[in-house]
Every structure is written in C-alpha cells, then in structure tokens.
Amino acid sequence: MRTIDLTALEIFKTVAEQGGITKAATRLHRVQSNVTTRVKQLEARLGTPLFLRDKRRLTLSPEGKLLLTYADRLLRLSSEAEAALRNGGPAGTLRIGALESTAATRLPPILSRYHRANPDVRIELLTGTTGALIARVVSHEVEAAFVAEPFSAHDLEAEPVFSEELVLIAPKGSPKVRTPNHIGHATLIAFATGCSYRRRLEAWLGGARVVPERVMEFGSYHAIVACVAAGAGIAIVPRSVLRVSLGEPDVAAYPLPAAVAKARTCLVWRRGHQSTALAAMLAEFPRTTRTGA
C-alpha cells in the first residue's frame, strides 16, 4: 500500500494556511504549476477533494480539515525525529495561543529564554479570549494555549503558570467604586463573549443585580483602557496590563473581592498529547515557581 509522503503534506498544509496556490508557491519557493500538480496528485491519491475552489480562493473541504490535523502532527513528529537523531533537541513549529494580556506582559521574557535554549523551534503565537483559545486547542489549530480560569477542562490537561490580580478601572475623577451598586448602570467595556475576566465581572455585578447599561466590545486592552480613560465606561483588567498601559494615569483602579480578583493563568493542551517542543515550554515553568509570577 502506498503512503502519503511528507513533502506532499507540507505542500498541502502550506496551501491551506496561505489560502491559495500563488502564496503557497512563494512560501515554498516552488513554481505554481508544481504546487498545483502536487495538490491534485494528493487528492487523487486519497480519492476526495481537499479544497473547495471559489474563483482564486481555496478553502478546505471537510476532508481537508481532517487531513490538516493529521498533517500538523505528522510533520511535527518528522521534525522531532530528525532533531532527536541529530542533537536530541526540540525542533519544528510550536503553535501556541495566549490571552492578549499574557502575550503582552508575561510571555516576552519566557519566549526569549525559550528561543535561546531551543533555536530549532519556530514559535507561532495567536491571541484570543479564553473561550476562543480553548476551541483552537480542541480543534488542533494550536498545540497549547495560555488561558484564564474558569474554563472547561474536558479532554484537556492544564498546568497553572501565572497568578493575576484583576482590578476594576473607571475614569479618573468619577465617583469611587467600592461595591457593584456604586457602578450603577455604567457601560461595561470588555472583550467579546468568551473572555473569562469579563465573566468574572458580570457574575460579580449580577450577584448584586446590577446590569450594565450596555457593553462595548474591543479586541485589545490598549483600546479598552483608552476608552475608560476617555470616560466611556468601566472595565476589568489585570494589574500587570495596567502597569504598562499608556492610559494608566487617566484611570482610577479599584480592588475587587478576592474571589473575583485572583485569577490563575494555565497552560492547557489536549489530553495525552506530547511533543518535545511543548515539554520544553513547560520546563520554563518550574513547579516551585508556577503561579507565583
């Protein structure tokens, strides 16, 4: 029985990621006709279309999405096997997800150390809310992700790595906030649904039957802090983010109850999944220091 060669999988994976033959050919340093031929040969070999063709745009078919999950794993294992035989170190691509706050304030020194210790690993970082990142881990889009509690850990393994203190921020000069009732019906400025920090704040307000007048959703903490500073509403943010924010001088930060304020960030991955690159990432967080950062 003939098997799928790794070169064909690499070409297929690149076309899927780039969304077309032209960009994939440029990325692979191949002529377009060669890439087209290899994709068609792979589809003929498997007896199913891997892409849905709409004008010049290629999107994955259901079978293509399934193959992509296997292609990621097979190519990663191939890189690991080569590295193990060559020097025993991790190699290949480590695709991870992270909360924007974690990516901005916690990961830079860790990724720098990781790169120095594992130069043969290429890290690809995607940001999103906890809900979105969990979905990416489950669907094999990322190998692991840094997410905030609470989250559903079904079929996932998790290691706590950071502790965050969340604070409520309001425009400077506005009435002090000590209880949910002091907020009244102010506008809540937050990430989209799926943000675990937003759920904490909404639960705290809901416990006192306080309902925000409306919710304004943004995709970055820079925008959230800037809007609060401009007087648009209130928000909940990690104190570590506030320290590096340009808008800090123009907002007032208020402590929250411990049940709301204390939030752990965990690194999560699919149960049973292993790779040398991921193991090296976990090694950056000794158990004696995890959650103490």
Side-chain angles (χ1 to χ4, degrees):
M1 180 178 177
R2 292 166 51 197
T3 57
I4 303 173
D5 66 85
L6 294 175
T7 301
L9 286 179
E10 182 181 14
I11 292 173
F12 159 73
K13 181 174 180 291
T14 305
V15 173
E17 292 174 342
Q18 299 298 316
I21 298 294
T22 303
K23 290 183 179 180
T26 301
R27 181 73 176 267
L28 294 167
H29 304 291
R30 290 172 175 263
V31 297
Q32 294 182 35
S33 59
N34 176 264
V35 174
T36 299
T37 298
R38 294 303 296 267
V39 169
K40 288 182 177 179
Q41 288 175 342
L42 182 58
E43 289 180 319
R45 164 75 182 84
L46 296 173
T48 185
L50 300 173
F51 294 97
L52 302 176
R53 292 161 173 82
D54 179 17
K55 296 181 180 180
R56 294 186 177 182
R57 178 72 181 178
L58 297 181
T59 57
L60 286 170
S61 67
E63 294 79 9
K65 291 179 181 179
L66 177 61
L67 179 61
L68 184 59
T69 64
Y70 286 102
D72 283 333
R73 282 182 277 177
L74 290 169
L75 291 169
R76 185 183 66 250
L77 287 172
S78 174
S79 296
E80 289 185 16
E82 183 178 349
L85 292 173
R86 185 174 64 249
N87 56 24
T93 299
L94 176 61
R95 184 178 297 170
I96 57 176
L99 302 170
E100 183 182 294
S101 57
T102 303
T105 64
R106 301 293 192 179
L107 290 187
I110 291 167
L111 295 183
S112 178
R113 290 198 309 267
Y114 185 93
H115 178 68
R116 290 196 300 270
N118 307 281
D120 292 329
V121 177
R122 184 182 71 172
I123 292 181
E124 295 182 358
L125 181 65
L126 295 81
T127 59
T129 63
T130 289
L133 292 172
I134 290 290
R136 285 180 178 270
V137 174
V138 172
S139 65
H140 298 261
E141 293 180 58
V142 296
E143 191 168 341
F146 293 91
V147 300
E149 293 181 329
F151 57 85
S152 174
H154 180 65
D155 289 334
L156 296 177
E157 295 185 53
E159 282 287 352
V161 290
F162 303 120
S163 289
E164 297 288 358
E165 178 194 1
L166 305 181
V167 294
L168 181 78
I169 59 172
K172 184 159 285 188
S174 61
K176 291 185 178 181
V177 178
R178 295 189 179 88
T179 70
N181 292 320
H182 290 146
I183 293 173
H185 297 286
T187 296
L188 172 60
I189 302 173
F191 280 95
T193 302
C195 173
S196 57
Y197 297 159
R198 171 178 170 175
R199 289 200 299 270
R200 284 170 175 261
L201 179 58
E202 289 176 332
W204 182 58
L205 297 177
R209 296 185 179 180
V210 173
V211 180
E213 182 176 295
R214 61 175 177 152
V215 178
M216 297 174 60
E217 296 182 347
F218 291 89
S220 75
Y221 277 113
H222 175 75
I224 288 173
V225 175
C227 281
V228 173
I234 56 102
I236 185 172
V237 300
R239 190 178 289 278
S240 60
V241 167
L242 194 58
R243 291 192 188 106
V244 300
S245 171
L246 296 177
E248 182 183 17
D250 300 312
V251 301
Y254 299 101
L256 292 163
V260 181
K262 301 303 180 182
R264 293 196 307 179
T265 301
C266 298
L267 181 60
V268 300
W269 63 95
R270 294 179 299 280
R271 188 176 304 281
H273 171 75
Q274 295 180 348
S275 77
T276 55
L278 177 57
M281 177 60 71
L282 275 168
E284 291 292 330
F285 305 94
R287 287 184 178 275
T288 55
T289 60
R290 292 176 191 174
T291 77

